[in-house]
Amino acid sequence: LFRSYKSYLRCCCGDSDMVAEWISCLDKKPSDRTGEELDIIYSRLKGLKVFETFDSALLQQICYFGYYEDLEKGITLYRQGDTGTNWYAVLSGSLDVNCSDYDDKNSVTVCTLGAGTAFGESVLDNSPRPATVITCEYTELLRVERDDLLQVWERNRKLMEGFFTTSVRPPSPAPVSVPVSVPQIQLSLNSKNLSDRILFIGQQIRAGLINNFPGIIADRQISLRTYRRCCVGAQLVDWIIQECNAVHTRQQAVGMWQVLLEEGVLKHVCNEYNFEDNSLFYRFKEDDCGSEQGPPGSCSPHTDPVMLQECFSTLAQMGPDALMRLMLRKPPKERTAEDLDYIYEELLHIKALSHLSNSVKRELASCIQFESREKAGTILFKQGDEGNSWYIILKGSVNVVIFGKGVVGQLHEGDNFGQLALVNDAPRAASIILRDERCHFLRVDKEDFNRILRDVEAKTERLKENGKDVLVLEKLSKSDGSQSNKYTVMAGTPEKMVEYLLDSCVDCRDDDERDYFVEDFFMMFNVFMSIEKLSSLLMVYYNEAVKSEDGLDLKATEQKKIRVVRAVLRWIDLVPQKMGEEYELEGLIEKIRGALYEDGMLSLLAQFERGIDASKCQTFNKANNRTSAVSLSSFQKSSRYSTYEDVSSDAPSEKIRREPLVPSTEVKFKIFYPDQSYCTLRLPISTPVSEISKQASEKLGLPVEETVIFEMKSTNEVVRYKDTDTCILTALSHNGRLFCSPKDSIDKIKPLQEQEGPNTSSFNELEIMSSREIALQMTLYDFELFNCVYESELIISIFKKDKFPGKIVGNLDCFLSRFNEVQNWVITEICLTPLLSKRVHLLRKFIKIAQHCRDFQNMLAFFGIIMGLSNIAVSRLSQTWEKLPSKFRKMFKEFETLLDPTRNHRSYRLAMSKQDSPFIPFMPLLMKDMTFIYEGNKTIIDGLINFEKMHMIANTIRYIRYARKEPFMADNVPVVKNRTDIKNYVRQMQVIDNQRTLSQLSHRLEKRAGE
């Protein structure tokens, strides 16, 4: 999703220092890696899809033997027939697997290996490579050499069976079927077997029903037939909504009951239906025993409220998948509008469909099907079979096998195969064999896909000039699903899109057929045209006379001028969200004023002026919302910003209001020299590195061409800048500092002592602070940072800064770095607390703060705290976690479920789907979404701007706009005496941002066995 795995970790897992740290650990020889370094590697690899089934001991050995490797696009990793020397796991990027019977010229691409896949196990039996593997894009790999892999294999044959499919793997014994009702099985919520866990949950829920709602399980009669000990579907839904605070909708409850039904714990009395929220009868497995059994509850297991809530929580995590399967199993004609919307939302986040337009995805929702296969080793299809379906893996993995060559690749969750069958009639190029039990797939049949493409094309209008498309339009749909007579723009030339906007869209405000084209165009136009060109096109349209048979059509000509005025006013409405554009618009506004005055259209001129005044008022109000009170000390004293300070005001710090950074904002650059002395430069924050270097060199007394400006991180890593780089201060790591030195002296410079961070914990301060007040002050500060971010910064960041000269993304940098700051704060405080009892107290404190942050809907801080507690330096402190009360361990476990990255962070997305404004989203995930759209869709297709891509990015920005639509107001917050102290504390966090240092501190607190 990101250009590299490193950039993904930088945005979603913490500071870039930590990313560089674990990669540098992998670059060392295995024998040189310390225990702390192995912990750093393990903490990064354990979350990868390719290793999710690995035993902990096995993964630790991979951490010991693995190496990091990255390759550019088009690199051949190895060729068919080569002798294998390495086994690989894909961290990011993708690779094509090509096979040929004769030579590379006639090779066929069998499959594409994406992130999370592994390949190259032929090294175990020393057989030649069965295929050629070539990188499709920049790709990062984990590499294990053959001798090392053989060593791991010999030690862990049983653990690795099922992961490697090679001739050296000993045959597995035939599976023995054991009924789940055998008394010897000890069921619990922690059972490794999923079916056992669900059976246990079913027993607990049945006991809860009997204890809390005795009449719900009863004998029922219908049509002169009696059904023993059964429940009504609608009553089960009512009960679970009443008992579980985490369930907010009946649809969510249906999904939870469907989980039990799929596993046979609950079933329809006649085995005819899935779970439905109506009057159908359902029976628990324990009650399906015949009329000779005793009354319900006579043998029911005991349950307690805490365990029941844990069972509900586990079911709530599984429910969305079960609900999706329930909908996909329905025949297309039986899917309701609610079903189609739910399926469509899921399809939006499937990588394999990212290249399809939203209209195609919406059509797919009506015909895409669910398919499951139970047994590993099942052949899904064979090489040479007719291709008639496209598959996307929802769960499990498959082997790609070619006759005579064996396994040439593996595909995992999120990967797809067979898509070529949808566009041609070629036979299957390989066989697909299931590697895991119970694999789940999405399937698109060729006939359905071709029909969708025909339907979409029928709704598409193409405007041509000189035989070439210049504008592509698609019919809008009404809220009831029927077709409208209105169109939206899918692609076009800039000139034609402006013309269409003025002719057909600028007057349209019909909410039932809402077309966001006008809004999205003015939000995104900077990507493909300059403001000068847009202004020119608007004025050409304004001055264009409309002629008729009788001469000049005055009414039509006047209407064109009115449309331009309205379009510019709509543009002005968006200016508060686009940094600096108000100044660039002044020239156009003056031209329109002059033209209206000369044309004598004074009433329209007055309307234009009123619109401008209203926009200025709106801008002022938004500025007030985004600049709530904030101490300037957050710029001057915080370690994050110690390199510079805002010099735009001399007012007392307590009264300073935080203003968004703009290119002209003057700041003081604090630049260190090799002898650790420093100079300060007062410059605009957008000053390029070349100018900073020039002025710093003059103060140092060295020629500009002999000096260089760079960042020195606390990890001793050097980040060099290009001369054209701007806004470098906000891009610094938390404890990073700017240095200026001769080019030949860079390697001799070491980090400053102040960059090491604190050496004592602030436990005594935290102990007397209210957890709720800490969370409140963190949320207030985070909202200030969030509200300072311009929407245009998101676009600039995604489409690369060098395409937008003079623009900065400083506010976005500050907001994103806050996540790293909070994460490091949690790790630092715990690792600097030597007493076990105090560390346990801190764990409780941080979990309570996280709970309050979630209550305040501050997901950025919530994720920062939980990911800090999940960091290897904290999670390895087993003695500390063992002393934590079970109540808090359960809370933390629940919080961790929101961090689950599977299905594109579905757990988090579902939790946020019903949030009301205001809230602070987990911004790194939204940046990932926009990068996903940017990378997966071309900006220009056949010479036309792909405006569907612009629509998708604009939709994400609209979500961010909605999140901060309302000002944050905390209700029922008691007054605390030390509020000012807490406020200053959360804005001036002192942290260690060196993962190696944190790991060393952790090992001093609790040594591993044998150390």
Side-chain angles (χ1 to χ4, degrees):
L1 300 181
F2 275 64
R3 182 67 68 178
S4 72
Y5 184 71
K6 287 182 283 188
S7 59
Y8 172 79
L9 288 173
R10 187 177 297 115
C11 282
C12 290
C13 298
D15 201 294
S16 57
D17 294 346
M18 297 183 183
V19 179
E21 183 76 10
W22 84 281
I23 291 176
S24 65
C25 294
L26 281 172
D27 287 339
K28 288 187 175 182
K29 293 181 179 179
S31 57
D32 294 338
R33 297 174 189 171
T34 64
E36 292 90 343
E37 290 170 337
L38 291 175
D39 283 344
I40 293 171
I41 299 171
Y42 180 84
S43 67
R44 294 307 182 191
L45 295 188
K46 69 177 182 179
L48 299 182
K49 183 168 57 177
V50 67
F51 299 119
E52 61 185 8
T53 60
F54 269 42
D55 182 84
S56 176
L58 175 58
L59 181 54
Q60 288 175 1
Q61 295 177 59
I62 296 295
C63 294
Y64 181 81
F65 288 115
Y67 292 92
Y68 172 82
E69 185 170 334
D70 59 340
L71 301 170
E72 295 299 327
K73 178 181 179 181
I75 300 297
T76 300
L77 192 62
Y78 55 73
R79 295 186 180 278
Q80 183 175 335
D82 289 351
T83 300
T85 57
N86 296 289
W87 171 82
Y88 299 92
V90 185
L91 302 179
S92 76
S94 58
L95 307 96
D96 279 338
V97 178
N98 298 331
C99 287
S100 171
D101 291 334
Y102 305 105
D103 53 50
D104 290 343
K105 294 181 180 179
N106 298 313
S107 62
V108 175
T109 299
V110 177
C111 65
T112 299
L113 305 173
T117 56
F119 60 97
E121 58 267 35
S122 62
V123 297
L124 290 177
D125 56 6
N126 208 27
S127 59
R129 296 295 196 188
T132 299
V133 176
I134 304 173
T135 57
C136 303
E137 55 188 311
Y138 176 79
T139 302
E140 294 177 295
L141 304 167
L142 181 77
R143 173 174 58 84
V144 179
E145 294 179 352
R146 178 181 181 275
D147 292 343
D148 295 333
L149 188 67
L150 284 170
Q151 189 175 341
V152 175
W153 170 262
E154 292 301 327
R155 293 176 181 173
N156 306 275
R157 279 180 177 263
K158 290 185 178 180
L159 293 176
M160 299 176 76
E161 286 180 14
F163 184 79
F164 290 136
T165 306
T166 71
S167 58
V168 300
R169 181 167 64 87
S172 302
V176 179
S177 177
V178 181
V180 292
S181 57
V182 172
Q184 289 82 357
I185 294 179
Q186 297 296 316
L187 298 177
S188 78
L189 198 56
N190 298 319
S191 298
K192 289 187 176 182
N193 185 281
L194 177 63
S195 296
D196 290 349
R197 286 206 307 273
I198 296 176
L199 179 59
F200 174 79
I201 290 170
Q203 292 174 349
Q204 295 297 312
I205 287 180
R206 176 178 176 272
L209 274 169
I210 293 170
N211 295 333
N212 303 333
F213 198 171
I216 199 170
I217 301 178
D219 295 345
R220 303 177 189 276
Q221 188 172 5
I222 187 171
S223 301
L224 302 178
R225 181 175 176 180
T226 300
Y227 295 93
R228 303 291 184 184
R229 294 187 294 278
C230 59
C231 317
V232 177
Q235 290 182 350
L236 291 176
V237 171
D238 291 336
W239 178 77
I240 208 168
I241 290 175
Q242 176 184 329
E243 295 293 321
C244 181
N245 296 330
V247 180
H248 306 293
T249 66
R250 301 188 72 83
Q251 188 183 61
Q252 188 179 0
V254 168
M256 294 167 69
W257 287 114
Q258 179 66 19
V259 174
L260 299 181
L261 189 140
E262 289 181 347
E263 289 294 329
V265 177
L266 183 77
K267 66 179 183 178
H268 180 253
V269 290
C270 298
N271 295 321
E272 293 179 0
Y273 297 97
N274 288 310
F275 190 86
E276 295 184 20
D277 182 13
N278 54 25
S279 57
L280 292 177
F281 296 160
Y282 298 90
R283 184 182 292 132
F284 281 92
K285 182 176 184 177
E286 291 86 346
D287 296 318
D288 191 24
C289 321
S291 58
E292 295 79 9
Q293 298 296 319
S298 58
C299 300
S300 63
H302 171 71
T303 189
D304 65 82
V306 175
M307 178 58 68
L308 188 60
Q309 290 301 320
E310 283 196 59
C311 290
F312 285 149
S313 177
T314 303
L315 271 189
Q317 297 169 42
M318 301 176 181
D321 282 336
L323 188 63
M324 179 76 165
R325 293 192 292 270
L326 175 63
M327 294 173 178
L328 290 171
R329 284 190 176 106
K330 293 181 181 180
K333 293 182 179 179
E334 295 181 14
R335 294 178 187 175
T336 65
E338 189 178 33
D339 293 341
L340 295 177
D341 287 341
Y342 189 92
I343 297 171
Y344 170 71
E345 289 296 325
E346 291 289 322
L347 298 184
L348 288 177
H349 302 297
I350 294 178
K351 182 180 179 181
L353 304 176
S354 63
H355 65 288
L356 302 177
S357 69
N358 285 349
S359 57
V360 172
K361 292 173 190 170
R362 191 168 288 281
E363 293 291 338
L364 277 175
S366 66
C367 67
I368 198 166
Q369 299 178 59
F370 175 79
E371 183 173 330
S372 70
R373 299 297 178 97
E374 295 297 317
K375 299 296 182 182
T378 300
I379 299 175
L380 193 62
F381 56 73
K382 295 181 179 179
Q383 183 177 347
D385 286 353
E386 180 185 357
N388 50 23
S389 298
W390 174 25
Y391 293 88
I392 301 166
I393 304 176
L394 286 180
K395 176 186 173 184
S397 60
V398 299
N399 284 323
V400 182
V401 180
I402 293 181
F403 297 151
K405 304 182 188 304
V407 178
V408 297
Q410 297 167 355
L411 301 174
H412 297 263
E413 180 183 317
D415 292 327
N416 69 100
F417 54 90
Q419 64 268 43
L420 291 178
L422 300 181
V423 294
N424 57 48
D425 296 323
R428 299 293 192 186
S431 299
I432 298 294
I433 303 176
L434 273 59
R435 295 181 65 245
D436 302 323
E437 303 287 329
R438 305 181 72 176
C439 289
H440 294 169
F441 304 93
L442 289 178
R443 191 186 80 237
V444 181
D445 292 335
K446 184 176 182 179
E447 181 180 345
D448 290 327
F449 192 77
N450 289 340
R451 176 184 54 78
I452 288 172
L453 293 181
R454 290 194 300 268
D455 291 346
V456 170
E457 189 62 29
K459 294 188 297 181
T460 302
E461 291 288 339
R462 298 178 182 273
L463 279 65
K464 296 180 180 290
E465 287 185 359
N466 299 321
K468 293 184 179 180
D469 290 341
V470 293
L471 193 66
V472 180
L473 306 174
E474 184 180 65
K475 271 190 178 181
L476 288 169
S477 296
K478 295 183 180 180
S479 57
D480 61 3
S482 61
Q483 292 298 313
S484 164
N485 291 324
K486 297 182 180 178
Y487 290 83
T488 189
V489 175
M490 303 298 290
T493 63
E495 296 79 6
K496 279 298 173 182
M497 286 193 289
V498 172
E499 183 180 326
Y500 179 79
L501 180 150
L502 294 168
D503 285 340
S504 307
C505 301
V506 77
D507 298 324
C508 179
R509 291 183 179 272
D510 187 352
D511 290 337
D512 187 49
E513 303 170 19
R514 183 81 188 263
D515 180 13
Y516 288 102
F517 172 63
V518 177
E519 180 180 315
D520 292 354
F521 180 86
F522 285 121
M523 185 189 302
M524 302 294 300
F525 77 87
N526 305 78
V527 172
F528 51 85
M529 67 189 305
S530 66
I531 193 171
E532 292 80 11
K533 182 174 181 179
L534 177 56
S535 299
S536 174
L537 291 172
L538 290 173
M539 290 308 300
V540 168
Y541 188 93
Y542 178 95
N543 293 316
E544 191 174 34
V546 179
K547 296 182 180 179
S548 65
E549 295 179 356
D550 301 328
L552 186 64
D553 189 335
L554 295 177
K555 185 175 181 180
T557 300
E558 181 180 341
Q559 190 62 36
K560 291 173 76 75
K561 300 179 187 299
I562 293 173
R563 288 174 188 155
V564 171
V565 169
R566 290 179 177 173
V568 173
L569 290 177
R570 295 280 293 274
W571 185 359
I572 292 173
D573 285 342
L574 288 174
V575 163
Q577 302 294 346
K578 301 186 74 175
M579 182 189 301
E581 203 160 282
E582 61 271 25
Y583 305 110
E584 298 169 341
L585 257 174
E586 287 179 356
L588 176 63
I589 291 173
E590 286 303 317
K591 288 180 181 179
I592 292 177
R593 279 174 173 156
L596 290 173
Y597 183 79
E598 289 180 6
D599 294 339
M601 304 178 70
L602 300 183
S603 61
L604 185 58
L605 176 59
Q607 179 184 343
F608 185 55
E609 296 292 352
R610 286 194 299 270
I612 293 173
D613 292 340
S615 178
K616 288 180 179 178
C617 181
Q618 180 188 32
T619 302
F620 176 76
N621 291 333
K622 287 187 177 182
N624 281 337
N625 283 340
R626 31 162 110 236
T627 56
S628 50
V630 52
S631 169
L632 186 60
S633 62
S634 63
F635 281 83
Q636 295 173 334
K637 299 178 182 178
S638 166
S639 58
R640 171 71 182 86
Y641 298 111
S642 60
T643 305
Y644 76 95
E645 60 185 59
D646 190 332
V647 298
S648 58
S649 174
D650 296 322
S653 62
E654 292 80 6
K655 298 181 181 179
I656 292 293
R657 300 171 69 85
R658 187 185 188 92
E659 298 285 348
L661 297 170
V662 295
S664 59
T665 301
E666 282 199 351
V667 293
K668 287 182 180 177
F669 290 74
K670 189 174 183 179
I671 302 175
F672 291 87
Y673 294 126
D675 61 359
Q676 298 195 352
S677 63
Y678 65 88
C679 71
T680 56
L681 302 174
R682 181 175 296 190
L683 297 167
I685 196 169
S686 60
T687 303
V689 168
S690 58
E691 181 61 26
I692 300 172
S693 178
K694 178 182 176 182
Q695 296 199 27
S697 300
E698 290 175 354
K699 290 200 173 188
L700 187 60
L702 290 174
V704 176
E705 59 272 9
E706 294 182 10
T707 58
V708 63
I709 296 286
F710 60 92
E711 176 191 357
M712 172 63 71
K713 296 187 176 184
S714 61
T715 58
N716 203 27
E717 180 187 355
V718 171
V719 178
R720 300 172 185 255
Y721 297 112
K722 296 184 293 186
D723 287 344
T724 55
D725 286 344
T726 61
C727 203
I728 59 175
L729 290 178
T730 56
L732 288 174
S733 59
H734 193 281
N735 289 337
R737 298 292 183 267
L738 286 179
F739 274 79
C740 176
S741 84
K743 295 178 181 179
D744 56 1
S745 301
I746 294 178
D747 295 337
K748 302 175 184 177
I749 298 176
K750 300 298 180 185
L752 306 172
Q753 185 173 357
E754 67 183 56
Q755 292 182 251
E756 296 176 2
N759 50 29
T760 58
S761 169
S762 59
F763 176 84
N764 294 333
E765 293 178 72
L766 283 170
E767 188 179 24
I768 61 174
M769 294 180 181
S770 158
S771 299
R772 182 177 175 83
E773 186 66 24
I774 291 174
L776 173 62
Q777 293 302 325
M778 290 176 70
T779 302
L780 289 170
Y781 183 49
D782 292 349
F783 259 111
E784 291 173 7
L785 293 170
F786 184 32
N787 284 327
C788 282
V789 177
Y790 287 96
E791 291 176 1
S792 58
E793 291 183 81
L794 303 169
I795 300 169
I796 294 168
S797 178
I798 296 301
F799 283 88
K800 313 308 174 191
K801 289 189 291 186
D802 54 1
K803 294 183 179 179
F804 302 88
K807 305 293 185 181
I808 65 171
V809 292
N811 301 294
L812 180 59
D813 286 340
C814 293
F815 182 51
L816 290 173
S817 68
R818 176 63 172 175
F819 167 71
N820 297 331
E821 184 177 23
V822 171
Q823 183 182 2
N824 285 323
W825 166 60
V826 172
I827 308 169
T828 299
E829 292 300 330
I830 292 177
C831 289
L832 287 177
T833 304
L835 292 180
L836 176 61
S837 59
K838 290 186 176 182
R839 289 202 302 277
V840 174
H841 182 83
L842 274 181
L843 281 182
R844 295 175 57 183
K845 188 90 172 179
F846 284 130
I847 291 173
K848 287 194 286 186
I849 293 172
Q851 175 65 65
H852 290 309
C853 284
R854 190 169 75 162
D855 293 341
F856 289 133
Q857 301 192 136
N858 181 358
M859 302 310 292
L860 188 84
F862 171 80
F863 269 77
I865 294 170
I866 300 306
M867 293 187 76
L869 294 174
S870 300
N871 185 276
I872 187 63
V874 178
S875 63
R876 64 170 300 278
L877 300 174
S878 56
Q879 298 174 32
T880 307
W881 286 97
E882 286 171 2
K883 296 289 184 181
L884 185 68
S886 60
K887 170 187 174 182
F888 289 93
R889 285 203 298 269
K890 291 171 183 175
M891 286 176 63
F892 180 68
K893 185 177 179 181
E894 177 192 344
F895 294 161
E896 278 194 311
T897 60
L898 287 176
L899 271 68
D900 183 7
T902 59
R903 300 291 180 82
N904 199 10
H905 298 269
R906 175 197 265 169
S907 297
Y908 166 76
R909 294 183 192 279
L910 286 174
M912 296 298 292
S913 62
K914 304 298 181 182
Q915 294 279 41
D916 294 325
S917 179
F919 60 89
I920 302 177
F922 182 44
M923 197 67 178
L925 183 57
L926 293 178
M927 296 300 296
K928 171 186 155 186
D929 287 344
M930 287 189 285
T931 305
F932 178 92
I933 296 168
Y934 173 78
E935 296 287 349
N937 299 271
K938 294 181 179 179
T939 302
I940 299 176
I941 301 176
D942 296 331
L944 303 180
I945 303 300
N946 178 12
F947 209 80
E948 176 73 2
K949 176 177 179 175
M950 308 302 158
H951 279 308
M952 289 189 283
I953 293 177
N955 279 334
T956 304
I957 295 176
R958 253 189 296 278
Y959 175 78
I960 295 170
R961 185 185 302 168
Y962 171 74
R964 55 187 184 178
K965 178 181 178 183
E966 303 294 335
F968 174 74
M969 302 291 290
D971 298 326
N972 303 320
V973 177
V975 177
V976 294
K977 293 182 180 179
N978 58 347
R979 174 163 291 173
T980 301
D981 293 337
I982 297 174
K983 177 180 178 180
N984 291 334
Y985 178 87
V986 302
R987 294 164 186 259
Q988 303 170 29
M989 290 177 173
Q990 304 297 312
V991 307
I992 299 171
D993 64 353
N994 186 332
Q995 182 67 35
R996 182 187 297 274
T997 302
L998 293 169
S999 293
Q1000 290 171 347
L1001 290 170
S1002 174
H1003 279 263
R1004 290 173 195 166
L1005 295 175
E1006 295 183 19
K1007 295 184 180 298
R1008 292 193 302 186
E1011 288 186 340

